[in-house]
Amino acid sequence: MLDREKVGRAISTQRKIKGMTQKQLADLLNVSYQAVSRWEQGISLPSVDMIYDISHLLETTVDFLLNGSSEEEHEISYLDAGLDIKKLYLLKDKLSRLTTQNDMLLHAKYIDPIFFKPNTTELEDPVYVLANHVPGSKERLAMEHGYDREICMDLAANAINNLIRFGAKPVLLQATIVCGNHDSGQILIMGEAFKETCENNNIAFAGLELAAQPINYHPNEYKINASIIGIADRKKLITGNQITEGDRIIGLHTEGISSLSYPIIKVMIDRKPEIIYTKLNCHSTFIDELMKPNTSYAAVVWELYTQGLLHGIFCISNSLFRRRSYSSMPEGLGAAISAASIPLSPLFHYLYHLNMMNKECFFHHFSFGIGMLLVISETSFDKAIKIIEKHHKYYIMGKIKKNDSYPDEKVWIEGAVKW
Protein backbone atom coordinates (compact mmCIF):
# COMPACT_ATOMS: atom_id res chain seq x y z
CA MET A 1 0.00 0.00 0.00
CA LEU A 2 1.35 3.41 -0.99
CA ASP A 3 2.27 5.86 1.75
CA ARG A 4 0.39 9.04 0.81
CA GLU A 5 2.55 11.26 3.04
CA LYS A 6 5.76 9.87 1.55
CA VAL A 7 4.48 10.43 -1.99
CA GLY A 8 3.37 13.95 -1.04
CA ARG A 9 6.79 14.79 0.38
CA ALA A 10 8.51 13.46 -2.73
CA ILE A 11 6.32 15.59 -5.03
CA SER A 12 6.83 18.67 -2.83
CA THR A 13 10.62 18.19 -2.63
CA GLN A 14 11.08 17.70 -6.36
CA ARG A 15 8.73 20.57 -7.24
CA LYS A 16 10.76 22.95 -5.07
CA ILE A 17 14.01 21.72 -6.56
CA LYS A 18 12.61 22.62 -9.99
CA GLY A 19 11.58 26.05 -8.66
CA MET A 20 7.88 25.52 -9.44
CA THR A 21 4.90 26.74 -7.45
CA GLN A 22 1.96 24.46 -6.77
CA LYS A 23 -0.11 26.47 -9.25
CA GLN A 24 2.50 26.18 -12.00
CA LEU A 25 2.63 22.40 -11.61
CA ALA A 26 -1.17 22.24 -11.50
CA ASP A 27 -1.49 24.26 -14.72
CA LEU A 28 0.95 21.95 -16.53
CA LEU A 29 -1.03 18.91 -15.35
CA ASN A 30 -4.37 20.58 -16.11
CA VAL A 31 -5.62 20.11 -12.53
CA SER A 32 -6.46 22.58 -9.76
CA TYR A 33 -3.69 23.81 -7.46
CA GLN A 34 -5.85 22.52 -4.57
CA ALA A 35 -5.33 19.01 -5.99
CA VAL A 36 -1.55 19.47 -5.89
CA SER A 37 -1.82 20.84 -2.36
CA ARG A 38 -3.81 17.77 -1.24
CA TRP A 39 -1.20 15.45 -2.75
CA GLU A 40 1.66 17.23 -0.99
CA GLN A 41 -0.19 17.19 2.33
CA GLY A 42 -0.72 13.44 2.00
CA ILE A 43 -4.50 13.83 1.91
CA SER A 44 -4.92 12.16 -1.48
CA LEU A 45 -2.90 10.41 -4.18
CA PRO A 46 -2.61 11.27 -7.88
CA SER A 47 -3.72 8.60 -10.34
CA VAL A 48 -1.17 6.20 -11.85
CA ASP A 49 -1.28 8.07 -15.18
CA MET A 50 -0.81 11.35 -13.34
CA ILE A 51 2.23 9.95 -11.48
CA TYR A 52 3.94 9.35 -14.84
CA ASP A 53 3.11 12.91 -15.98
CA ILE A 54 4.41 14.37 -12.72
CA SER A 55 7.68 12.42 -12.94
CA HIS A 56 8.17 13.69 -16.49
CA LEU A 57 7.48 17.34 -15.62
CA LEU A 58 9.66 17.24 -12.49
CA GLU A 59 12.43 15.34 -14.27
CA THR A 60 12.56 12.50 -11.78
CA THR A 61 11.55 8.82 -11.70
CA VAL A 62 8.27 7.17 -10.80
CA ASP A 63 10.20 5.12 -8.24
CA PHE A 64 11.34 8.30 -6.49
CA LEU A 65 7.78 9.67 -6.32
CA LEU A 66 6.31 6.42 -5.03
CA ASN A 67 9.09 5.25 -2.74
CA GLY A 68 11.22 8.31 -2.03
CA SER A 69 14.15 6.71 -3.81
CA SER A 70 15.60 6.81 -7.29
CA GLU A 71 17.96 4.92 -9.45
CA GLU A 72 19.84 8.20 -9.67
CA GLU A 73 21.92 9.44 -6.75
CA HIS A 74 20.11 12.36 -5.05
CA GLU A 75 22.01 14.91 -2.99
CA ILE A 76 20.65 16.40 0.20
CA SER A 77 19.84 20.06 -0.44
CA TYR A 78 18.98 23.10 1.65
CA LEU A 79 15.35 22.51 0.63
CA ASP A 80 15.43 19.39 2.77
CA ALA A 81 16.15 21.74 5.70
CA GLY A 82 13.28 24.01 4.68
CA LEU A 83 15.47 26.69 3.14
CA ASP A 84 14.83 27.97 -0.37
CA ILE A 85 18.17 29.50 -1.36
CA LYS A 86 16.71 31.27 -4.38
CA LYS A 87 14.07 32.97 -2.25
CA LEU A 88 16.65 33.78 0.43
CA TYR A 89 18.96 35.65 -1.95
CA LEU A 90 16.06 37.51 -3.54
CA LEU A 91 15.26 38.76 -0.04
CA LYS A 92 18.91 39.62 0.65
CA ASP A 93 18.93 41.70 -2.54
CA LYS A 94 15.88 43.61 -1.33
CA LEU A 95 17.48 44.17 2.07
CA SER A 96 20.69 45.44 0.45
CA ARG A 97 18.69 48.29 -1.12
CA LEU A 98 17.99 49.64 2.37
CA THR A 99 21.69 50.32 2.93
CA THR A 100 22.61 54.00 3.18
CA GLN A 101 24.23 55.43 0.08
CA ASN A 102 26.81 58.06 1.01
CA ASP A 103 30.53 58.81 0.76
CA MET A 104 31.23 57.62 4.30
CA LEU A 105 29.87 54.09 3.82
CA LEU A 106 32.10 52.61 1.13
CA HIS A 107 30.88 49.01 1.06
CA ALA A 108 28.28 46.97 2.97
CA LYS A 109 26.88 43.87 1.31
CA TYR A 110 25.74 40.54 2.72
CA ILE A 111 28.41 39.00 4.95
CA ASP A 112 31.27 41.08 3.54
CA PRO A 113 33.22 43.26 5.94
CA ILE A 114 31.91 46.83 6.19
CA PHE A 115 34.20 49.48 4.75
CA PHE A 116 33.60 53.02 5.96
CA LYS A 117 35.49 56.25 6.41
CA PRO A 118 33.97 58.69 8.94
CA ASN A 119 34.98 62.34 8.97
CA THR A 120 37.14 62.98 12.03
CA THR A 121 38.74 66.26 10.92
CA GLU A 122 37.00 68.22 13.71
CA LEU A 123 38.27 65.86 16.42
CA GLU A 124 41.58 66.68 18.05
CA ASP A 125 42.24 63.15 19.30
CA PRO A 126 39.73 60.83 17.58
CA VAL A 127 38.79 57.48 19.07
CA TYR A 128 36.34 54.89 17.74
CA VAL A 129 33.61 53.35 19.86
CA LEU A 130 31.94 49.98 19.18
CA ALA A 131 28.97 48.52 21.04
CA ASN A 132 26.76 45.47 20.48
CA HIS A 133 23.17 45.32 21.69
CA VAL A 134 20.40 42.74 22.00
CA PRO A 135 16.75 43.46 22.87
CA GLY A 136 16.60 41.29 25.99
CA SER A 137 13.30 39.95 27.32
CA LYS A 138 11.28 42.49 25.34
CA GLU A 139 12.08 40.54 22.16
CA ARG A 140 9.99 37.51 23.15
CA LEU A 141 6.90 39.60 23.85
CA ALA A 142 7.38 41.42 20.52
CA MET A 143 7.57 38.09 18.62
CA GLU A 144 4.54 36.62 20.34
CA HIS A 145 2.34 39.64 19.62
CA GLY A 146 3.63 40.86 16.26
CA TYR A 147 5.51 44.03 17.27
CA ASP A 148 8.44 43.30 14.96
CA ARG A 149 8.86 46.87 13.74
CA GLU A 150 8.73 48.31 17.25
CA ILE A 151 11.36 45.97 18.71
CA CYS A 152 13.83 46.92 15.97
CA MET A 153 13.30 50.65 16.54
CA ASP A 154 13.67 50.09 20.27
CA LEU A 155 16.92 48.17 19.85
CA ALA A 156 18.39 50.83 17.53
CA ALA A 157 17.43 53.63 19.94
CA ASN A 158 19.04 51.89 22.91
CA ALA A 159 22.23 51.31 20.92
CA ILE A 160 22.37 54.99 19.93
CA ASN A 161 21.75 56.20 23.48
CA ASN A 162 24.49 53.98 24.87
CA LEU A 163 27.06 55.76 22.69
CA ILE A 164 25.91 59.33 23.08
CA ARG A 165 26.01 59.19 26.88
CA PHE A 166 29.82 59.36 26.57
CA GLY A 167 29.82 62.18 24.03
CA ALA A 168 30.43 59.81 21.12
CA LYS A 169 28.75 60.58 17.81
CA PRO A 170 27.11 57.46 16.29
CA VAL A 171 28.04 57.16 12.63
CA LEU A 172 27.11 53.64 11.56
CA LEU A 173 24.75 50.83 12.61
CA GLN A 174 24.37 47.31 11.29
CA ALA A 175 21.73 44.84 12.46
CA THR A 176 21.68 41.05 12.29
CA ILE A 177 18.71 38.71 12.42
CA VAL A 178 18.76 34.93 12.84
CA CYS A 179 15.31 33.58 12.10
CA GLY A 180 13.13 30.80 10.79
CA ASN A 181 11.45 32.95 8.15
CA HIS A 182 12.87 34.01 4.81
CA ASP A 183 9.66 35.43 3.38
CA SER A 184 10.08 39.08 2.52
CA GLY A 185 7.17 40.64 4.43
CA GLN A 186 8.23 40.37 8.06
CA ILE A 187 11.98 40.74 7.47
CA LEU A 188 11.68 43.79 5.19
CA ILE A 189 9.50 45.55 7.77
CA MET A 190 12.23 44.98 10.36
CA GLY A 191 14.97 46.21 8.03
CA GLU A 192 12.96 49.34 7.22
CA ALA A 193 12.48 50.02 10.95
CA PHE A 194 16.24 49.98 11.54
CA LYS A 195 16.81 52.21 8.53
CA GLU A 196 14.16 54.73 9.64
CA THR A 197 15.69 55.05 13.11
CA CYS A 198 19.15 55.54 11.60
CA GLU A 199 17.93 58.18 9.15
CA ASN A 200 16.12 60.07 11.93
CA ASN A 201 19.40 60.26 13.83
CA ASN A 202 21.71 60.99 10.86
CA ILE A 203 23.43 57.60 11.13
CA ALA A 204 24.48 55.43 8.19
CA PHE A 205 22.61 52.12 8.05
CA ALA A 206 24.96 49.31 6.97
CA GLY A 207 22.09 46.89 6.42
CA LEU A 208 20.28 44.00 8.05
CA GLU A 209 22.31 40.82 7.71
CA LEU A 210 20.01 37.81 7.50
CA ALA A 211 20.73 34.26 8.63
CA ALA A 212 17.67 32.18 7.81
CA GLN A 213 17.59 28.93 9.81
CA PRO A 214 14.17 27.29 9.44
CA ILE A 215 15.64 24.05 10.73
CA ASN A 216 16.38 25.74 14.09
CA TYR A 217 13.67 28.41 14.43
CA HIS A 218 9.90 28.52 14.00
CA PRO A 219 8.63 30.68 11.07
CA ASN A 220 8.01 33.87 13.10
CA GLU A 221 10.78 33.33 15.64
CA TYR A 222 13.97 35.38 15.54
CA LYS A 223 16.97 36.73 17.41
CA ILE A 224 18.20 40.21 16.56
CA ASN A 225 21.15 42.32 17.54
CA ALA A 226 22.61 45.66 16.52
CA SER A 227 26.24 46.74 16.27
CA ILE A 228 26.89 50.46 16.38
CA ILE A 229 30.07 52.44 15.78
CA GLY A 230 30.73 55.99 16.89
CA ILE A 231 33.55 58.51 16.95
CA ALA A 232 34.61 60.75 19.81
CA ASP A 233 37.29 63.18 20.85
CA ARG A 234 39.21 61.46 23.61
CA LYS A 235 39.87 64.76 25.36
CA LYS A 236 36.18 65.69 25.37
CA LEU A 237 34.54 62.45 26.47
CA ILE A 238 31.68 62.87 28.92
CA THR A 239 32.99 61.11 32.02
CA GLY A 240 31.05 62.86 34.76
CA ASN A 241 34.13 64.67 36.06
CA GLN A 242 32.52 68.03 35.27
CA ILE A 243 29.47 67.39 37.44
CA THR A 244 29.37 69.77 40.39
CA GLU A 245 27.07 70.54 43.29
CA GLY A 246 24.13 72.68 42.19
CA ASP A 247 23.95 71.39 38.61
CA ARG A 248 20.39 70.95 37.36
CA ILE A 249 18.99 67.58 36.25
CA ILE A 250 16.71 67.41 33.21
CA GLY A 251 14.81 64.25 32.30
CA LEU A 252 14.10 63.42 28.65
CA HIS A 253 10.80 61.68 27.96
CA THR A 254 10.53 58.22 26.39
CA GLU A 255 7.46 56.22 25.42
CA GLY A 256 9.15 52.87 25.87
CA ILE A 257 10.00 50.65 28.80
CA SER A 258 13.47 49.18 29.21
CA SER A 259 14.03 45.53 28.31
CA LEU A 260 15.42 45.11 31.82
CA SER A 261 11.89 45.67 33.14
CA TYR A 262 10.38 42.93 31.00
CA PRO A 263 11.07 39.93 33.25
CA ILE A 264 8.94 41.74 35.83
CA ILE A 265 6.28 42.53 33.22
CA LYS A 266 6.28 38.87 32.11
CA VAL A 267 5.61 37.68 35.66
CA MET A 268 2.74 40.17 35.96
CA ILE A 269 1.20 38.98 32.68
CA ASP A 270 1.61 35.32 33.65
CA ARG A 271 -0.22 35.99 36.91
CA LYS A 272 -2.95 38.10 35.31
CA PRO A 273 -3.14 37.21 31.58
CA GLU A 274 -6.27 39.30 31.11
CA ILE A 275 -4.35 42.55 31.57
CA ILE A 276 -2.52 42.29 28.25
CA TYR A 277 -5.41 43.62 26.15
CA THR A 278 -6.82 46.01 28.74
CA LYS A 279 -7.68 49.39 27.19
CA LEU A 280 -5.62 52.16 28.79
CA ASN A 281 -7.14 54.85 26.57
CA CYS A 282 -9.27 55.11 23.47
CA HIS A 283 -6.26 54.49 21.22
CA SER A 284 -4.18 51.76 22.80
CA THR A 285 -4.13 48.68 24.99
CA PHE A 286 -1.69 47.64 27.69
CA ILE A 287 0.38 45.63 25.19
CA ASP A 288 0.42 48.57 22.73
CA GLU A 289 1.89 50.83 25.41
CA LEU A 290 4.39 48.20 26.55
CA MET A 291 5.75 47.72 23.04
CA LYS A 292 6.29 51.37 22.16
CA PRO A 293 9.95 51.85 21.20
CA ASN A 294 12.27 53.86 23.38
CA THR A 295 13.34 57.29 22.16
CA SER A 296 16.78 58.06 20.75
CA TYR A 297 18.38 61.37 21.73
CA ALA A 298 21.28 61.75 19.33
CA ALA A 299 20.28 65.12 17.85
CA VAL A 300 19.64 66.98 21.10
CA VAL A 301 22.65 65.53 22.92
CA TRP A 302 24.99 66.34 20.05
CA GLU A 303 23.75 69.93 19.87
CA LEU A 304 24.19 70.39 23.63
CA TYR A 305 27.57 68.65 23.52
CA THR A 306 29.01 70.74 20.69
CA GLN A 307 27.99 73.92 22.54
CA GLY A 308 29.69 72.73 25.71
CA LEU A 309 26.50 72.69 27.79
CA LEU A 310 26.65 69.16 29.19
CA HIS A 311 28.28 68.32 32.50
CA GLY A 312 27.04 64.73 32.52
CA ILE A 313 24.60 62.19 31.13
CA PHE A 314 22.86 59.32 32.91
CA CYS A 315 21.24 56.77 30.59
CA ILE A 316 18.30 55.32 32.53
CA SER A 317 17.80 51.59 32.12
CA ASN A 318 15.05 49.80 34.00
CA SER A 319 14.78 52.17 36.97
CA LEU A 320 15.07 55.89 37.54
CA PHE A 321 16.61 54.97 40.90
CA ARG A 322 18.98 52.25 39.79
CA ARG A 323 22.42 52.96 41.26
CA ARG A 324 24.25 51.54 38.25
CA SER A 325 22.75 54.19 35.95
CA TYR A 326 24.67 56.83 37.93
CA SER A 327 28.08 55.14 37.82
CA SER A 328 29.74 58.31 36.47
CA MET A 329 28.59 60.39 39.46
CA PRO A 330 31.62 61.94 41.24
CA GLU A 331 32.37 60.76 44.75
CA GLY A 332 30.44 62.64 47.45
CA LEU A 333 27.66 63.80 45.12
CA GLY A 334 24.29 62.37 44.17
CA ALA A 335 21.17 63.03 42.11
CA ALA A 336 18.42 64.43 44.31
CA ILE A 337 15.20 63.69 42.38
CA SER A 338 12.12 65.67 43.34
CA ALA A 339 9.10 63.42 43.85
CA ALA A 340 6.86 66.10 42.37
CA SER A 341 8.81 65.97 39.09
CA ILE A 342 8.25 62.25 38.43
CA PRO A 343 5.76 61.85 35.56
CA LEU A 344 2.92 59.38 36.03
CA SER A 345 1.76 58.33 32.57
CA PRO A 346 -1.37 56.14 32.22
CA LEU A 347 0.85 53.09 31.70
CA PHE A 348 2.81 53.46 34.95
CA HIS A 349 -0.31 54.56 36.82
CA TYR A 350 -2.02 51.36 35.64
CA LEU A 351 0.97 49.17 36.54
CA TYR A 352 1.12 50.62 40.03
CA HIS A 353 -2.59 50.22 40.71
CA LEU A 354 -2.54 46.56 39.73
CA ASN A 355 -1.25 46.18 43.31
CA MET A 356 1.11 43.38 42.35
CA MET A 357 4.16 44.87 44.10
CA ASN A 358 4.90 47.32 46.88
CA LYS A 359 6.17 50.87 46.35
CA GLU A 360 9.82 50.05 46.99
CA CYS A 361 9.73 47.22 44.46
CA PHE A 362 7.92 49.40 41.92
CA PHE A 363 10.50 52.19 42.16
CA HIS A 364 13.28 49.64 41.77
CA HIS A 365 11.95 48.24 38.46
CA PHE A 366 10.55 51.13 36.38
CA SER A 367 11.81 54.37 34.82
CA PHE A 368 8.48 56.28 34.79
CA GLY A 369 8.97 57.36 31.19
CA ILE A 370 12.42 58.93 31.69
CA GLY A 371 14.96 57.63 29.18
CA MET A 372 17.91 59.89 29.90
CA LEU A 373 18.98 62.48 32.48
CA LEU A 374 21.08 65.45 31.41
CA VAL A 375 23.20 67.34 33.92
CA ILE A 376 23.44 71.05 33.12
CA SER A 377 25.13 73.85 35.04
CA GLU A 378 22.90 76.49 36.59
CA THR A 379 24.43 79.18 34.37
CA SER A 380 23.75 77.22 31.17
CA PHE A 381 20.29 76.02 32.17
CA ASP A 382 18.10 78.49 30.23
CA LYS A 383 20.14 78.11 27.05
CA ALA A 384 20.02 74.32 27.30
CA ILE A 385 16.24 74.29 27.84
CA LYS A 386 15.69 76.25 24.62
CA ILE A 387 17.62 73.59 22.72
CA ILE A 388 15.97 70.63 24.45
CA GLU A 389 12.39 71.84 23.92
CA LYS A 390 12.98 71.87 20.15
CA HIS A 391 13.52 68.12 20.23
CA HIS A 392 11.81 66.39 23.15
CA LYS A 393 9.33 66.58 25.96
CA TYR A 394 11.32 67.09 29.17
CA TYR A 395 11.03 67.31 32.96
CA ILE A 396 13.07 69.34 35.43
CA MET A 397 13.90 66.53 37.81
CA GLY A 398 16.10 67.96 40.55
CA LYS A 399 19.67 68.93 41.40
CA ILE A 400 23.09 67.49 42.08
CA LYS A 401 23.71 67.65 45.82
CA LYS A 402 26.23 66.44 48.37
CA ASN A 403 25.19 63.05 49.67
CA ASP A 404 25.88 63.83 53.33
CA SER A 405 22.32 62.87 54.28
CA TYR A 406 22.47 59.77 52.03
CA PRO A 407 25.97 58.33 52.57
CA ASP A 408 27.31 56.41 49.56
CA GLU A 409 24.06 56.89 47.62
CA LYS A 410 24.21 57.95 43.96
CA VAL A 411 20.51 58.87 43.67
CA TRP A 412 17.61 59.45 46.04
CA ILE A 413 14.09 60.85 46.05
CA GLU A 414 13.03 63.98 47.91
CA GLY A 415 9.39 64.28 48.92
CA ALA A 416 6.52 61.88 48.32
CA VAL A 417 4.99 60.77 45.04
CA LYS A 418 1.26 61.45 44.80
CA TRP A 419 -0.43 58.55 43.09
Side-chain angles (χ1 to χ4, degrees):
M1 185 175 179
L2 291 175
D3 186 328
R4 289 181 299 184
E5 291 187 359
K6 183 183 288 185
V7 172
R9 284 196 299 271
I11 294 173
S12 175
T13 297
Q14 196 64 22
R15 173 181 61 78
K16 290 174 181 176
I17 289 172
K18 298 302 294 179
M20 282 189 193
T21 65
Q22 288 182 340
K23 187 175 186 312
Q24 287 170 334
L25 179 58
D27 289 344
L28 291 170
L29 293 168
N30 200 26
V31 298
S32 67
Y33 77 88
Q34 290 94 337
V36 176
S37 177
R38 287 196 295 272
W39 298 339
E40 294 188 358
Q41 292 179 71
I43 297 171
S44 63
L45 282 167
S47 67
V48 175
D49 290 341
M50 192 67 73
I51 285 284
Y52 279 100
D53 291 339
I54 294 170
S55 67
H56 175 72
L57 289 170
L58 298 183
E59 297 181 359
T60 187
T61 65
V62 171
D63 186 51
F64 173 72
L65 296 181
L66 296 182
N67 302 306
S69 61
S70 172
E71 295 173 0
E72 303 169 7
E73 184 178 348
H74 281 266
E75 296 182 358
I76 296 175
S77 72
Y78 280 111
L79 276 173
D80 296 307
L83 184 62
D84 186 331
I85 293 294
K86 182 178 179 181
K87 182 187 288 186
L88 174 63
Y89 279 94
L90 285 173
L91 176 54
K92 283 179 174 268
D93 283 337
K94 291 178 181 177
L95 288 172
S96 68
R97 296 170 201 163
L98 300 177
T99 304
T100 300
Q101 304 296 317
N102 62 23
D103 294 336
M104 189 272 288
L105 186 56
L106 306 176
H107 177 82
K109 185 174 177 64
Y110 297 161
I111 60 172
D112 288 354
I114 298 169
F115 294 82
F116 66 102
K117 187 178 181 180
N119 182 3
T120 60
T121 54
E122 295 181 358
L123 306 180
E124 184 179 347
D125 185 8
V127 294
Y128 298 85
V129 188
L130 168 66
N132 291 303
H133 289 264
V134 294
S137 301
K138 198 172 183 178
E139 181 181 55
R140 173 58 59 178
L141 206 59
M143 279 190 296
E144 291 174 351
H145 297 278
Y147 291 85
D148 308 316
R149 171 181 167 80
E150 288 80 0
I151 194 64
C152 294
M153 299 181 81
D154 186 80
L155 175 58
N158 290 332
I160 292 166
N161 291 342
N162 190 31
L163 256 64
I164 62 176
R165 68 190 176 106
F166 296 103
K169 182 178 182 179
V171 294
L172 182 145
L173 181 144
Q174 185 189 47
T176 303
I177 178 168
V178 184
C179 61
N181 182 9
H182 53 292
D183 289 327
S184 61
Q186 178 193 36
I187 307 302
L188 281 175
I189 285 172
M190 298 174 79
E192 288 165 355
F194 279 115
K195 180 179 181 179
E196 180 181 334
T197 306
C198 288
E199 287 182 339
N200 290 342
N201 291 276
N202 197 28
I203 298 169
F205 179 48
L208 174 61
E209 174 54 31
L210 169 63
Q213 298 182 11
I215 199 168
N216 295 321
Y217 292 83
H218 296 302
N220 293 316
E221 189 178 21
Y222 52 77
K223 294 291 181 183
I224 52 175
N225 85 310
S227 298
I228 188 165
I229 294 173
I231 55 175
D233 194 324
R234 180 183 291 183
K235 297 180 180 180
K236 296 181 181 179
L237 288 171
I238 298 175
T239 62
N241 290 336
Q242 286 184 291
I243 296 175
T244 60
E245 183 182 6
D247 284 349
R248 304 286 290 272
I249 304 170
I250 301 171
L252 299 182
H253 176 75
T254 184
E255 294 286 349
I257 293 182
S258 166
S259 285
L260 295 177
S261 298
Y262 272 79
I264 306 302
I265 295 289
K266 182 66 166 61
V267 172
M268 297 174 79
I269 292 173
D270 287 346
R271 291 179 180 176
K272 289 187 177 182
E274 69 275 10
I275 68 176
I276 200 161
Y277 294 115
T278 299
K279 281 272 190 179
L280 297 193
N281 54 54
C282 60
H283 302 293
S284 61
T285 61
F286 179 57
I287 185 68
D288 291 331
E289 293 296 317
L290 282 179
M291 296 313 304
K292 285 182 176 179
N294 276 287
T295 304
S296 50
Y297 307 109
V300 64
V301 167
W302 193 248
E303 188 171 351
L304 293 167
Y305 171 80
T306 53
Q307 295 194 35
L309 302 179
L310 287 171
H311 276 191
I313 297 177
F314 304 125
C315 198
I316 304 304
S317 50
N318 63 320
S319 170
L320 183 59
F321 298 96
R322 188 177 187 226
R323 180 184 175 90
R324 185 177 176 183
S325 298
Y326 300 84
S327 59
S328 60
M329 182 73 72
E331 195 69 30
L333 298 178
I337 305 296
S338 167
S341 71
I342 298 174
L344 297 176
S345 70
L347 173 60
F348 291 102
H349 197 272
Y350 176 73
L351 283 168
Y352 180 75
H353 285 287
L354 284 172
N355 292 319
M356 297 180 75
M357 62 181 76
N358 59 35
K359 285 185 180 180
E360 182 179 352
C361 182
F362 194 78
F363 273 89
H364 181 70
H365 288 301
F366 296 108
S367 67
F368 300 95
I370 304 296
M372 182 172 281
L373 295 178
L374 306 179
V375 182
I376 310 289
S377 72
E378 186 72 47
T379 55
S380 302
F381 181 76
D382 291 339
K383 184 177 181 181
I385 286 294
K386 288 180 180 178
I387 293 172
I388 293 168
E389 63 189 5
K390 294 188 303 181
H391 298 273
H392 300 285
K393 184 177 180 179
Y394 67 92
Y395 309 92
I396 301 172
M397 304 296 299
K399 287 188 175 183
I400 299 296
K401 295 184 178 181
K402 290 184 177 179
N403 60 3
D404 297 340
S405 301
Y406 302 88
D408 300 322
E409 291 296 326
K410 298 285 188 179
V411 57
W412 60 86
I413 187 170
E414 294 187 339
V417 178
K418 295 182 180 180
W419 298 94

